Amino acid sequence: MNAVHDFARFKAEGRKISIVTAYDAWSARIVARSNVDAILVGDSAAMVMHGQPTTLAATVGLMAMHTRAVARAAAGKFVIADLPFLSFRKGIPAAMRAVGALVTSGAEAVKLEGVDGHEDVIAHIVGSGVPVMGHIGLTPQSVNRFGGFRVQGRNEGDAAKLVGQAHALQDLGCFSIVIECVPAELAARITSEVAVPTIGIGAGVATDGQVLVLHDLWGFDTGTTPRFVRRYFDGDRVLTNALNEYDTDVKETRFPGPEESYS
Ligand code: KIV
């Protein structure tokens, strides 16, 4: 997948879409060699790469820096970058400056959280020729309003609201919608009602695709591991073992050897 219309094609063909996050060139190079379909430069960079407790610390400058690094190394993969906290809530000119910073850094699409109150901004970005991915459910930039990282859409009223938001994002021209941390049945309902592909994270198996934070998938400790994460590698243990082997080799004068030394 290397173009925005591939999202619609995958849904039409009933093919699932796999997305992972990346924030730097070396990991983007590994993802680029894999079968994973697309890369999200998520504002989770603030937590995973910078040790912040939430995504609220991400800025346009930070996201542009991570996007540049990923885009340089992500040959052949579609790159989406997150518009960070409040960057699209200060009016259209400010939102377009943020979009411009991400696109000139190499993003082929932007993602933004929520819909209520910024419909005009979404329409303007789409109308400017920049593909927009929506994001509903547990939108982490609203963590303070939610009172924590909690499953959304559990009661009928909230579920109906999320269905309405998905339709609104589709009508505004979003090419895809991330649904985060909602009951699987609700995500399935939204997926069957909207024509654009839905990408789930903690939203069950019925969505048109899935997205995971790369470091969670690789088994690196990022502070907390939500229930929806599946670890495909024991990254923390493997890397710690490698460091300890190096440490032992240094201390027991087994590193460097003749082959790692100049004569
Ligand atoms: O910032 C992020 O990484 C995200 C997702 C995981 C959907 O928004």
Side-chain angles (χ1 to χ4, degrees), residues 48 63 70 109 114 137 180 226:
V48 178
M63 293 307 299
V70 168
E180 180 162 352

Side-chain angles (χ1 to χ4, degrees), residues 21 23 40-45 55 82 111 113 135 140 178 180 201 211-213:
T21 64
Y23 317 105
L40 170 68
V41 187
D43 59 356
S44 50
T55 60
D82 256 340
K111 175 167 82 58
E113 296 185 7
H135 185 163
V178 169
E180 180 162 352
I201 176 162
V211 58
L212 271 185
V213 167

Side-chain angles (χ1 to χ4, degrees), residues 70-174:
V70 168
R72 274 191 205 119
K77 299 295 178 193
F78 192 73
V79 176
I80 307 145
D82 256 340
L83 281 167
F85 181 55
L86 295 187
S87 63
F88 51 95
R89 297 285 301 191
K90 299 172 185 163
I92 289 177
M96 291 313 291
R97 276 194 294 280
V99 171
L102 298 184
V103 172
T104 56
S105 297
E108 290 156 293
V110 296
K111 175 167 82 58
L112 53 74
E113 296 185 7
V115 56
D116 305 333
H118 47 266
E119 293 88 344
D120 56 339
V121 174
I122 297 173
H124 192 87
I125 302 171
V126 172
S128 307
V130 178
V132 176
M133 176 181 253
H135 185 163
I136 58 173
L138 172 53
T139 45
Q141 291 173 13
S142 304
V143 62
N144 290 333
R145 179 162 61 83
F146 294 142
F149 295 100
R150 298 172 199 287
V151 177
Q152 301 296 304
R154 277 205 151 127
N155 66 54
E156 240 173 70
D158 289 348
K161 203 168 151 200
L162 287 171
V163 173
Q165 288 178 344
H167 281 281
L169 288 170
Q170 166 174 262
D171 295 347
L172 287 163
C174 290

Side-chain angles (χ1 to χ4, degrees), residues 22-84:
Y23 317 105
D24 55 62
W26 77 264
S27 57
R29 208 168 286 126
I30 297 173
V31 179
R33 287 196 294 263
S34 77
N35 297 330
V36 165
D37 295 310
I39 297 178
L40 170 68
V41 187
D43 59 356
S44 50
M47 301 170 76
V48 178
M49 303 300 283
H50 300 278
Q52 296 285 346
T54 68
T55 60
L56 303 186
T59 62
V60 174
L62 183 106
M63 293 307 299
M65 181 188 69
H66 286 296
T67 302
R68 265 195 306 280
V70 168
R72 274 191 205 119
K77 299 295 178 193
F78 192 73
V79 176
I80 307 145
D82 256 340
L83 281 167

